[in-house]
Amino acid sequence: MINCKSDRQIKLAKTAGFCFGVDRAVNLVYELVEKGEKVCTLGPIIHNSQLVADLESKGVKMIDSIDECPKGYTLIIRTHGVEKSVIDCAEDKHVDFINATCPFVLKIHRIVSQQQDGTITLIAGDENHPEVKGIRSYCVGDSYVFKNQNELENILNKFCISEKSSLICVAQTTFSLKEWKKCEKILKKLYTNCRIYSTICNATADRQEEAAALSKEAEAMIVIGGRHSSNTCKLRDVCMASADTFLIETADELKEIEFSPYKVIGVTAGASTPSVIIKEVLKTMSEEIIEKEVETTSAVTEEVVETADTADQAEKAAVKASADGEATFEEMLEESFREDENSKVVKGTVVNITPTEVFVDVEGRKQTGVIAFDDLSSEPIEKSEDAVSIGDVLDLVIMKTDDSEGVLKLSKKLVDQFKGWEDIVAAKESEEVLEGSVISVVKGGVIVVAKGSRVFVPASLTGVPRNQELDVLKGTTVRFKVIDINPSRRRAVGSIKVVANEERKAQQEALWASLEEGQKLTGTVKSLTSYGAFVDIGGMDGMVHISELSWSRIKHPSEVVNIGDVVEVTIKKLDEENKKISLGFKKLEDNPWEILKRDYPIGTDCKGKIVSIASFGAFANILPGIDGLIHISQISWDRVKTPADVLAVGDEVDVRIIDVDFDKKRVSLSMKELIEKPDDTISLLSDTEDAE
């Protein structure tokens, strides 16, 4: 909540802004652009014209069909997803694409596609929305779309859906939760066999419920988001039921709104609204907001801190007042050093240690000094004895004086943080690599403690893949660099990723120097694309083109290898300029022509399967990848006018290898060599009769 000088209150919903799926897709595009890759998106990546315009300014192209994808570009499939035929087309045309469809949408695709044939699918949503079009393309039977309770009842009546029909119901991820519950009630009453899948995104449901609650507290609601965004329009509809509601896309539109009649104004934003637009709107609404008077719930603070990319942003987000109006710990520490060191920063001797507290004698004071376990150390510790021992003399800061009990509440942790700050600043200047412990995980990143100071590392800089939880880092020791600081507030932002990248680069350079063409290596399959497999060969990735995976023709690399497989590869080509490695997977001994040379000498009899027929003969497959020609003259001792008279595709025949041209990759076969030759007299008589 923001209190303005005019007594007007502005309340920001804690769930406002990017949802998981949108944040994942947008960050993906920006990361590719930062790496210098050429990127295009199939339609707008999200329904936000300002963000789309920013991407276009950075060279990201927006196309309307697969055929428009420029050569050399990576195509990003947007968060709403696309129809199955579009994915199939991209794969058939060997387009380099990344599917950034929201995982919650992909879940619906899996649900509807895994049903039995003939299953009827009911979809709650907007039939013209890209997400719904994509869902329908994966349905195995008939599908019907409804926007509300009335449309659902009309569908059930119009199409006479039997109670015995195989029936399921899913919902667009941004569908109205209130409307969904009404429809769900009807289906449970009329169709007890209907399997109902609640597929509304949790973030969408939370956002709608919070907007509904906030609109009941506020006199007016500002909903920020694209006018073509489904979830933003749903938020507007939810808020309109309880308060005057205004839908805006940018802060400039606030000029058209008269706020004077409203004392309490709520603000929420759709899942496609960037945080920078939300902040701009809040700033414009109240330019006289005093930063030190900002009161925000811990949830809001956490969310903003998590999305902070700089120390200044992290610092602003962390500003909060405690319930009884006390200053933050850091402010008290700074003030104590600045105003009266003797009265606020004291020395104490440890006299007793318990599992929850440490008691000290404070020099020059009669009160008992107590350090709570949480205020004992910035470093993660399991027990008090890990940080102090009886007799230790400590520098401590007074957090609170309780005159009624004669107790001083002290903190050693804050003094350690203050003393370690100079080391943090020096590390930033020298680009020193620091080591620290990850003590906590928040939605937008992790907190690392080093030199007694807390350093915030945004999720995008942890090095943890997007689809993996940050909890894997909790309790671990990490190496990082300080990339931004705010000296006045003693806030620091670090990057684990930059250190990992530097170390990986050094490892790659060392590895690159040891590589040579023809070298055999063992690697792990890291990822698969429609055109090949990427294999990690020890810090660097090489690509095995699909044509190098098998001697026979395959449609997708997954027919040969899977992610995680340990494989033996051969370096076919090294591109030093672009640092690209081309790998081979096919083994020479598996080459069907080598097998033919070794095991099938001329004169060998074998089985063949007719695969095609021409006017001059028929082709028969004798080994995977090798077809031989049975010339028309080699089909039978009798005259054959056309091969189709005696052979058909799919026929299995006995043949003899009569000639092989390994240079031209040609094999000649004969069927008649395996048939007893007719008597010459009979043949001559037959020829005479034919002549007459």
Side-chain angles (χ1 to χ4, degrees), residues 603-639:
T604 300
D605 297 338
C606 57
K607 292 284 187 181
K609 184 175 182 179
I610 305 300
V611 293
S612 64
I613 296 177
S615 60
F616 52 83
F619 289 90
N621 178 250
I622 57 172
L623 283 173
I626 298 182
D627 296 338
L629 172 65
I630 310 171
H631 191 269
I632 190 171
S633 63
Q634 293 295 329
I635 293 176
S636 173
W637 291 104
D638 297 329
R639 181 186 302 175

Side-chain angles (χ1 to χ4, degrees), residues 14-15 64 86 103 134 181 213 231 269 305 309 344 461 488 525 553 565 570 575 590 656:
K14 68 180 181 180
T15 53
D64 296 320
V86 177
K181 290 180 178 179
N231 71 84
V305 170
D309 288 328
K344 292 293 181 70
L461 299 180
S488 64
V525 179
R553 184 176 297 177
D565 286 354
T570 303
D575 184 348
D590 294 332
R656 175 172 293 168

Side-chain angles (χ1 to χ4, degrees), residues 344-403:
K344 292 293 181 70
V345 176
V346 297
K347 288 187 178 295
T349 303
V350 178
V351 295
N352 189 22
I353 299 175
T354 73
T356 58
E357 297 173 317
V358 172
F359 293 86
V360 298
D361 280 340
V362 181
E363 291 183 7
R365 291 183 178 260
K366 297 180 180 180
Q367 298 108 314
T368 299
V370 180
I371 310 169
F373 182 83
D374 289 342
D375 296 316
L376 194 56
S377 174
S378 293
E379 305 289 342
I381 56 174
E382 294 183 0
K383 55 184 184 298
S384 301
E385 288 83 356
D386 292 338
V388 296
S389 301
I390 291 178
D392 286 350
V393 178
L394 310 174
D395 286 326
L396 306 164
V397 65
I398 300 173
M399 294 169 55
K400 187 176 181 181
T401 302
D402 192 332
D403 294 329

Side-chain angles (χ1 to χ4, degrees), residues 416-432:
D416 292 343
Q417 291 176 351
F418 189 89
K419 290 180 176 179
W421 178 251
E422 290 184 359
D423 293 332
I424 295 295
V425 174
K428 166 67 169 62
E429 296 299 323
S430 64
E431 297 188 354
E432 177 187 354

Side-chain angles (χ1 to χ4, degrees), residues 3 21 143 148 171 180 228 234 266 274 313-314 325 334 337 340 486 541 548 562 575 629 664 690:
N3 296 318
S143 62
N148 49 46
W180 170 254
H228 299 293
K234 296 289 191 312
Q313 289 172 311
E334 292 176 35
F337 275 89
D340 189 351
N486 185 328
D541 290 346
E548 288 293 330
N562 295 305
D575 184 348
L629 172 65
K664 296 182 179 180
D690 287 344

